[in-house]
mmCIF file of all heavy atoms in Angstrom:
data_model
loop_
_atom_site.group_PDB
_atom_site.id
_atom_site.type_symbol
_atom_site.label_atom_id
_atom_site.label_comp_id
_atom_site.label_asym_id
_atom_site.label_seq_id
_atom_site.Cartn_x
_atom_site.Cartn_y
_atom_site.Cartn_z
ATOM 1 N N PHE A 66 10.686 13.952 -9.478
ATOM 2 C CA PHE A 66 9.563 14.253 -10.299
ATOM 3 C C PHE A 66 8.490 13.182 -10.229
ATOM 4 O O PHE A 66 8.075 12.550 -11.242
ATOM 5 C CB PHE A 66 9.970 14.638 -11.645
ATOM 6 C CG PHE A 66 8.890 15.349 -12.435
ATOM 7 C CD1 PHE A 66 8.611 16.680 -12.344
ATOM 8 C CD2 PHE A 66 8.132 14.632 -13.368
ATOM 9 C CE1 PHE A 66 7.626 17.268 -13.064
ATOM 10 C CE2 PHE A 66 7.056 15.169 -14.108
ATOM 11 C CZ PHE A 66 6.880 16.585 -14.004
ATOM 12 N N PRO A 67 7.987 12.808 -9.047
ATOM 13 C CA PRO A 67 7.039 11.659 -8.916
ATOM 14 C C PRO A 67 5.622 12.020 -9.533
ATOM 15 O O PRO A 67 5.170 13.041 -9.294
ATOM 16 C CB PRO A 67 6.962 11.453 -7.406
ATOM 17 C CG PRO A 67 7.212 12.780 -6.790
ATOM 18 C CD PRO A 67 8.267 13.463 -7.747
ATOM 19 N N VAL A 68 5.251 11.001 -10.347
ATOM 20 C CA VAL A 68 3.863 11.148 -10.805
ATOM 21 C C VAL A 68 3.199 9.790 -10.601
ATOM 22 O O VAL A 68 3.753 8.784 -11.004
ATOM 23 C CB VAL A 68 3.904 11.371 -12.435
ATOM 24 C CG1 VAL A 68 2.535 11.412 -12.938
ATOM 25 C CG2 VAL A 68 4.653 12.786 -12.669
ATOM 26 N N ASN A 69 2.061 9.868 -10.077
ATOM 27 C CA ASN A 69 1.282 8.562 -9.688
ATOM 28 C C ASN A 69 0.600 7.979 -10.994
ATOM 29 O O ASN A 69 0.309 8.779 -11.997
ATOM 30 C CB ASN A 69 0.151 8.862 -8.705
ATOM 31 C CG ASN A 69 0.754 9.092 -7.321
ATOM 32 O OD1 ASN A 69 1.541 8.215 -6.895
ATOM 33 N ND2 ASN A 69 0.250 10.181 -6.614
ATOM 34 N N GLU A 70 0.379 6.649 -10.945
ATOM 35 C CA GLU A 70 -0.292 5.994 -12.101
ATOM 36 C C GLU A 70 -1.607 6.514 -12.264
ATOM 37 O O GLU A 70 -2.337 6.940 -11.352
ATOM 38 C CB GLU A 70 -0.151 4.453 -11.894
ATOM 39 C CG GLU A 70 1.192 3.924 -11.953
ATOM 40 C CD GLU A 70 1.305 2.458 -11.684
ATOM 41 O OE1 GLU A 70 0.230 1.799 -11.566
ATOM 42 O OE2 GLU A 70 2.451 1.936 -11.722
ATOM 43 N N VAL A 71 -2.207 6.456 -13.469
ATOM 44 C CA VAL A 71 -3.470 7.053 -13.783
ATOM 45 C C VAL A 71 -4.626 6.529 -12.934
ATOM 46 O O VAL A 71 -5.445 7.191 -12.473
ATOM 47 C CB VAL A 71 -3.799 6.898 -15.285
ATOM 48 C CG1 VAL A 71 -5.045 7.635 -15.578
ATOM 49 C CG2 VAL A 71 -2.638 7.502 -16.177
ATOM 50 N N TRP A 72 -4.686 5.100 -12.909
ATOM 51 C CA TRP A 72 -5.749 4.572 -12.235
ATOM 52 C C TRP A 72 -5.766 4.878 -10.696
ATOM 53 O O TRP A 72 -6.859 4.866 -10.129
ATOM 54 C CB TRP A 72 -5.686 2.973 -12.344
ATOM 55 C CG TRP A 72 -4.444 2.352 -11.667
ATOM 56 C CD1 TRP A 72 -3.164 2.321 -12.124
ATOM 57 C CD2 TRP A 72 -4.358 1.928 -10.348
ATOM 58 N NE1 TRP A 72 -2.324 1.649 -11.141
ATOM 59 C CE2 TRP A 72 -3.033 1.483 -10.003
ATOM 60 C CE3 TRP A 72 -5.367 1.735 -9.330
ATOM 61 C CZ2 TRP A 72 -2.669 0.936 -8.755
ATOM 62 C CZ3 TRP A 72 -4.954 1.251 -8.052
ATOM 63 C CH2 TRP A 72 -3.677 0.860 -7.815
ATOM 64 N N TYR A 73 -4.629 5.161 -10.106
ATOM 65 C CA TYR A 73 -4.560 5.454 -8.696
ATOM 66 C C TYR A 73 -5.083 6.907 -8.526
ATOM 67 O O TYR A 73 -5.741 7.166 -7.527
ATOM 68 C CB TYR A 73 -3.101 5.310 -8.244
ATOM 69 C CG TYR A 73 -2.889 5.517 -6.773
ATOM 70 C CD1 TYR A 73 -3.246 4.567 -5.929
ATOM 71 C CD2 TYR A 73 -2.343 6.747 -6.315
ATOM 72 C CE1 TYR A 73 -3.072 4.813 -4.501
ATOM 73 C CE2 TYR A 73 -2.094 7.028 -4.965
ATOM 74 C CZ TYR A 73 -2.540 5.978 -4.137
ATOM 75 O OH TYR A 73 -2.314 6.227 -2.733
ATOM 76 N N TYR A 74 -4.742 7.779 -9.399
ATOM 77 C CA TYR A 74 -5.082 9.206 -9.229
ATOM 78 C C TYR A 74 -6.532 9.429 -9.681
ATOM 79 O O TYR A 74 -7.367 10.138 -9.042
ATOM 80 C CB TYR A 74 -4.134 10.132 -10.088
ATOM 81 C CG TYR A 74 -4.468 11.614 -9.949
ATOM 82 C CD1 TYR A 74 -4.053 12.348 -8.876
ATOM 83 C CD2 TYR A 74 -5.272 12.145 -10.863
ATOM 84 C CE1 TYR A 74 -4.391 13.676 -8.794
ATOM 85 C CE2 TYR A 74 -5.542 13.585 -10.894
ATOM 86 C CZ TYR A 74 -5.095 14.294 -9.749
ATOM 87 O OH TYR A 74 -5.416 15.588 -9.688
ATOM 88 N N ALA A 75 -6.992 8.889 -10.795
ATOM 89 C CA ALA A 75 -8.330 9.099 -11.313
ATOM 90 C C ALA A 75 -9.112 7.758 -11.182
ATOM 91 O O ALA A 75 -9.636 7.211 -12.271
ATOM 92 C CB ALA A 75 -8.297 9.505 -12.795
ATOM 93 N N SER A 76 -9.230 7.174 -10.000
ATOM 94 C CA SER A 76 -9.791 5.876 -9.828
ATOM 95 C C SER A 76 -11.255 5.874 -10.245
ATOM 96 O O SER A 76 -11.820 4.810 -10.499
ATOM 97 C CB SER A 76 -9.612 5.389 -8.402
ATOM 98 O OG SER A 76 -10.195 6.353 -7.540
ATOM 99 N N THR A 77 -11.906 7.032 -10.253
ATOM 100 C CA THR A 77 -13.381 6.994 -10.570
ATOM 101 C C THR A 77 -13.594 6.890 -12.114
ATOM 102 O O THR A 77 -14.597 6.719 -12.503
ATOM 103 C CB THR A 77 -14.032 8.257 -9.959
ATOM 104 O OG1 THR A 77 -13.356 9.473 -10.512
ATOM 105 C CG2 THR A 77 -14.017 8.405 -8.496
ATOM 106 N N LYS A 78 -12.606 7.208 -12.856
ATOM 107 C CA LYS A 78 -12.767 7.232 -14.304
ATOM 108 C C LYS A 78 -11.871 6.208 -14.962
ATOM 109 O O LYS A 78 -12.237 5.730 -16.110
ATOM 110 C CB LYS A 78 -12.323 8.674 -14.851
ATOM 111 C CG LYS A 78 -13.123 9.847 -14.304
ATOM 112 C CD LYS A 78 -12.576 11.106 -14.920
ATOM 113 C CE LYS A 78 -13.428 12.250 -14.313
ATOM 114 N NZ LYS A 78 -12.945 13.638 -14.869
ATOM 115 N N VAL A 79 -10.783 5.730 -14.379
ATOM 116 C CA VAL A 79 -9.953 4.699 -15.009
ATOM 117 C C VAL A 79 -9.836 3.498 -14.124
ATOM 118 O O VAL A 79 -9.474 3.616 -12.961
ATOM 119 C CB VAL A 79 -8.521 5.368 -15.276
ATOM 120 C CG1 VAL A 79 -7.594 4.335 -15.832
ATOM 121 C CG2 VAL A 79 -8.689 6.600 -16.204
ATOM 122 N N GLU A 80 -9.948 2.356 -14.713
ATOM 123 C CA GLU A 80 -9.798 1.166 -13.955
ATOM 124 C C GLU A 80 -8.432 0.512 -14.219
ATOM 125 O O GLU A 80 -7.989 0.567 -15.313
ATOM 126 C CB GLU A 80 -10.918 0.123 -14.299
ATOM 127 C CG GLU A 80 -10.920 -1.085 -13.608
ATOM 128 C CD GLU A 80 -12.035 -2.034 -13.971
ATOM 129 O OE1 GLU A 80 -12.984 -1.582 -14.800
ATOM 130 O OE2 GLU A 80 -12.032 -3.184 -13.606
ATOM 131 N N PHE A 81 -7.958 -0.101 -13.164
ATOM 132 C CA PHE A 81 -6.563 -0.739 -13.343
ATOM 133 C C PHE A 81 -6.917 -2.276 -13.777
ATOM 134 O O PHE A 81 -7.253 -3.158 -12.953
ATOM 135 C CB PHE A 81 -5.990 -0.871 -12.017
ATOM 136 C CG PHE A 81 -4.530 -1.370 -12.093
ATOM 137 C CD1 PHE A 81 -3.659 -1.052 -13.072
ATOM 138 C CD2 PHE A 81 -4.001 -2.220 -11.143
ATOM 139 C CE1 PHE A 81 -2.313 -1.622 -13.213
ATOM 140 C CE2 PHE A 81 -2.718 -2.766 -11.170
ATOM 141 C CZ PHE A 81 -1.925 -2.514 -12.188
ATOM 142 N N LEU A 82 -6.886 -2.343 -15.115
ATOM 143 C CA LEU A 82 -7.264 -3.742 -15.775
ATOM 144 C C LEU A 82 -6.347 -4.860 -15.577
ATOM 145 O O LEU A 82 -6.659 -6.039 -15.702
ATOM 146 C CB LEU A 82 -7.518 -3.429 -17.236
ATOM 147 C CG LEU A 82 -8.647 -2.385 -17.567
ATOM 148 C CD1 LEU A 82 -8.764 -2.337 -19.205
ATOM 149 C CD2 LEU A 82 -9.946 -2.835 -16.994
ATOM 150 N N MET A 83 -5.097 -4.613 -15.131
ATOM 151 C CA MET A 83 -4.075 -5.570 -15.017
ATOM 152 C C MET A 83 -4.452 -6.681 -14.063
ATOM 153 O O MET A 83 -4.278 -7.833 -14.321
ATOM 154 C CB MET A 83 -2.719 -4.867 -14.616
ATOM 155 C CG MET A 83 -1.594 -5.923 -14.430
ATOM 156 S SD MET A 83 -0.947 -6.495 -16.001
ATOM 157 C CE MET A 83 -0.265 -4.889 -16.554
ATOM 158 N N THR A 84 -5.106 -6.350 -12.987
ATOM 159 C CA THR A 84 -5.467 -7.288 -11.947
ATOM 160 C C THR A 84 -6.491 -8.258 -12.349
ATOM 161 O O THR A 84 -6.669 -9.352 -11.676
ATOM 162 C CB THR A 84 -5.819 -6.568 -10.633
ATOM 163 O OG1 THR A 84 -6.934 -5.762 -10.968
ATOM 164 C CG2 THR A 84 -4.702 -5.813 -9.973
ATOM 165 N N SER A 85 -7.180 -8.028 -13.495
ATOM 166 C CA SER A 85 -8.198 -8.992 -13.867
ATOM 167 C C SER A 85 -7.566 -10.146 -14.638
ATOM 168 O O SER A 85 -8.099 -11.273 -14.723
ATOM 169 C CB SER A 85 -9.194 -8.252 -14.789
ATOM 170 O OG SER A 85 -8.525 -7.828 -16.060
ATOM 171 N N VAL A 86 -6.200 -9.910 -15.006
ATOM 172 C CA VAL A 86 -5.447 -11.045 -15.681
ATOM 173 C C VAL A 86 -4.490 -11.588 -14.728
ATOM 174 O O VAL A 86 -4.198 -12.799 -14.632
ATOM 175 C CB VAL A 86 -4.785 -10.388 -16.936
ATOM 176 C CG1 VAL A 86 -3.959 -11.576 -17.745
ATOM 177 C CG2 VAL A 86 -5.838 -9.894 -17.968
ATOM 178 N N PHE A 87 -3.751 -10.742 -13.984
ATOM 179 C CA PHE A 87 -2.801 -11.050 -12.966
ATOM 180 C C PHE A 87 -3.292 -10.565 -11.668
ATOM 181 O O PHE A 87 -2.996 -9.448 -11.219
ATOM 182 C CB PHE A 87 -1.465 -10.468 -13.349
ATOM 183 C CG PHE A 87 -0.838 -11.058 -14.671
ATOM 184 C CD1 PHE A 87 -0.733 -10.224 -15.746
ATOM 185 C CD2 PHE A 87 -0.291 -12.368 -14.738
ATOM 186 C CE1 PHE A 87 -0.284 -10.651 -16.894
ATOM 187 C CE2 PHE A 87 0.244 -12.799 -15.820
ATOM 188 C CZ PHE A 87 0.291 -11.970 -16.961
ATOM 189 N N PRO A 88 -4.085 -11.275 -10.955
ATOM 190 C CA PRO A 88 -4.644 -10.817 -9.668
ATOM 191 C C PRO A 88 -3.653 -10.495 -8.629
ATOM 192 O O PRO A 88 -4.026 -9.693 -7.701
ATOM 193 C CB PRO A 88 -5.520 -12.093 -9.247
ATOM 194 C CG PRO A 88 -5.732 -12.859 -10.516
ATOM 195 C CD PRO A 88 -4.475 -12.721 -11.309
ATOM 196 N N THR A 89 -2.497 -11.012 -8.714
ATOM 197 C CA THR A 89 -1.532 -10.884 -7.562
ATOM 198 C C THR A 89 -0.555 -9.741 -8.006
ATOM 199 O O THR A 89 0.580 -9.746 -7.459
ATOM 200 C CB THR A 89 -0.834 -12.127 -7.126
ATOM 201 O OG1 THR A 89 -0.218 -12.634 -8.266
ATOM 202 C CG2 THR A 89 -1.773 -13.061 -6.533
ATOM 203 N N PHE A 90 -0.810 -9.044 -9.100
ATOM 204 C CA PHE A 90 0.098 -8.085 -9.696
ATOM 205 C C PHE A 90 0.660 -7.133 -8.540
ATOM 206 O O PHE A 90 1.808 -6.884 -8.538
ATOM 207 C CB PHE A 90 -0.508 -7.330 -10.804
ATOM 208 C CG PHE A 90 0.283 -6.375 -11.445
ATOM 209 C CD1 PHE A 90 1.220 -6.790 -12.478
ATOM 210 C CD2 PHE A 90 0.432 -5.067 -11.026
ATOM 211 C CE1 PHE A 90 1.986 -5.831 -13.139
ATOM 212 C CE2 PHE A 90 1.235 -4.138 -11.700
ATOM 213 C CZ PHE A 90 2.103 -4.373 -12.740
ATOM 214 N N GLU A 91 -0.204 -6.487 -7.812
ATOM 215 C CA GLU A 91 0.182 -5.506 -6.857
ATOM 216 C C GLU A 91 1.070 -6.087 -5.780
ATOM 217 O O GLU A 91 2.023 -5.439 -5.306
ATOM 218 C CB GLU A 91 -1.087 -4.892 -6.184
ATOM 219 C CG GLU A 91 -1.836 -3.942 -7.103
ATOM 220 C CD GLU A 91 -0.844 -2.712 -7.413
ATOM 221 O OE1 GLU A 91 -0.658 -1.934 -6.508
ATOM 222 O OE2 GLU A 91 -0.451 -2.604 -8.554
ATOM 223 N N GLN A 92 0.815 -7.305 -5.417
ATOM 224 C CA GLN A 92 1.760 -7.854 -4.325
ATOM 225 C C GLN A 92 2.924 -8.377 -4.893
ATOM 226 O O GLN A 92 4.027 -8.220 -4.147
ATOM 227 C CB GLN A 92 0.868 -9.149 -3.764
ATOM 228 C CG GLN A 92 -0.306 -8.769 -2.903
ATOM 229 C CD GLN A 92 -1.475 -8.443 -3.821
ATOM 230 O OE1 GLN A 92 -1.642 -8.945 -4.904
ATOM 231 N NE2 GLN A 92 -2.337 -7.503 -3.304
ATOM 232 N N GLU A 93 3.072 -8.883 -6.092
ATOM 233 C CA GLU A 93 4.284 -9.424 -6.621
ATOM 234 C C GLU A 93 5.170 -8.485 -7.487
ATOM 235 O O GLU A 93 6.387 -8.523 -7.458
ATOM 236 C CB GLU A 93 3.928 -10.699 -7.460
ATOM 237 C CG GLU A 93 3.271 -11.807 -6.530
ATOM 238 C CD GLU A 93 2.997 -13.085 -7.362
ATOM 239 O OE1 GLU A 93 3.081 -12.981 -8.675
ATOM 240 O OE2 GLU A 93 2.704 -14.138 -6.807
ATOM 241 N N TYR A 94 4.438 -7.640 -8.269
ATOM 242 C CA TYR A 94 5.168 -6.737 -9.170
ATOM 243 C C TYR A 94 5.473 -5.351 -8.583
ATOM 244 O O TYR A 94 6.479 -4.885 -8.901
ATOM 245 C CB TYR A 94 4.354 -6.631 -10.444
ATOM 246 C CG TYR A 94 5.131 -6.006 -11.652
ATOM 247 C CD1 TYR A 94 5.773 -6.707 -12.448
ATOM 248 C CD2 TYR A 94 4.912 -4.650 -11.900
ATOM 249 C CE1 TYR A 94 6.561 -6.180 -13.542
ATOM 250 C CE2 TYR A 94 5.628 -3.995 -12.889
ATOM 251 C CZ TYR A 94 6.432 -4.822 -13.719
ATOM 252 O OH TYR A 94 7.115 -4.135 -14.775
ATOM 253 N N ARG A 95 4.577 -4.934 -7.685
ATOM 254 C CA ARG A 95 4.724 -3.550 -7.255
ATOM 255 C C ARG A 95 6.125 -3.344 -6.516
ATOM 256 O O ARG A 95 6.571 -2.227 -6.663
ATOM 257 C CB ARG A 95 3.567 -3.195 -6.346
ATOM 258 C CG ARG A 95 3.597 -1.887 -5.703
ATOM 259 C CD ARG A 95 3.604 -0.832 -6.876
ATOM 260 N NE ARG A 95 2.424 -0.985 -7.759
ATOM 261 C CZ ARG A 95 2.254 -0.363 -8.908
ATOM 262 N NH1 ARG A 95 3.151 0.311 -9.368
ATOM 263 N NH2 ARG A 95 1.097 -0.596 -9.561
ATOM 264 N N PRO A 96 6.606 -4.365 -5.758
ATOM 265 C CA PRO A 96 7.943 -4.084 -5.134
ATOM 266 C C PRO A 96 9.061 -3.723 -6.168
ATOM 267 O O PRO A 96 10.127 -3.224 -5.839
ATOM 268 C CB PRO A 96 8.236 -5.396 -4.452
ATOM 269 C CG PRO A 96 6.825 -5.861 -4.093
ATOM 270 C CD PRO A 96 6.085 -5.579 -5.318
#
C-alpha cells in the first residue's frame, strides 16, 4: 500500500522543509 510523501506528490504546493536544516537529509537518511 505505497503512498508517496506529500512534498514529492504535491511539490507545487508543499515544500520539503527538512533540507533547509539538514541539507544532506536525502542522501543520508533516505536509504
Side-chain angles (χ1 to χ4, degrees):
F66 190 79
V68 177
N69 286 311
E70 294 180 2
V71 183
W72 68 272
Y73 183 79
Y74 180 81
S76 57
T77 59
K78 299 179 180 180
V79 177
E80 183 180 348
F81 187 41
L82 299 179
M83 181 73 70
T84 53
S85 64
V86 179
F87 296 105
T89 59
F90 181 88
E91 282 299 289
Q92 292 75 32
E93 296 181 348
Y94 190 86
R95 185 57 63 193

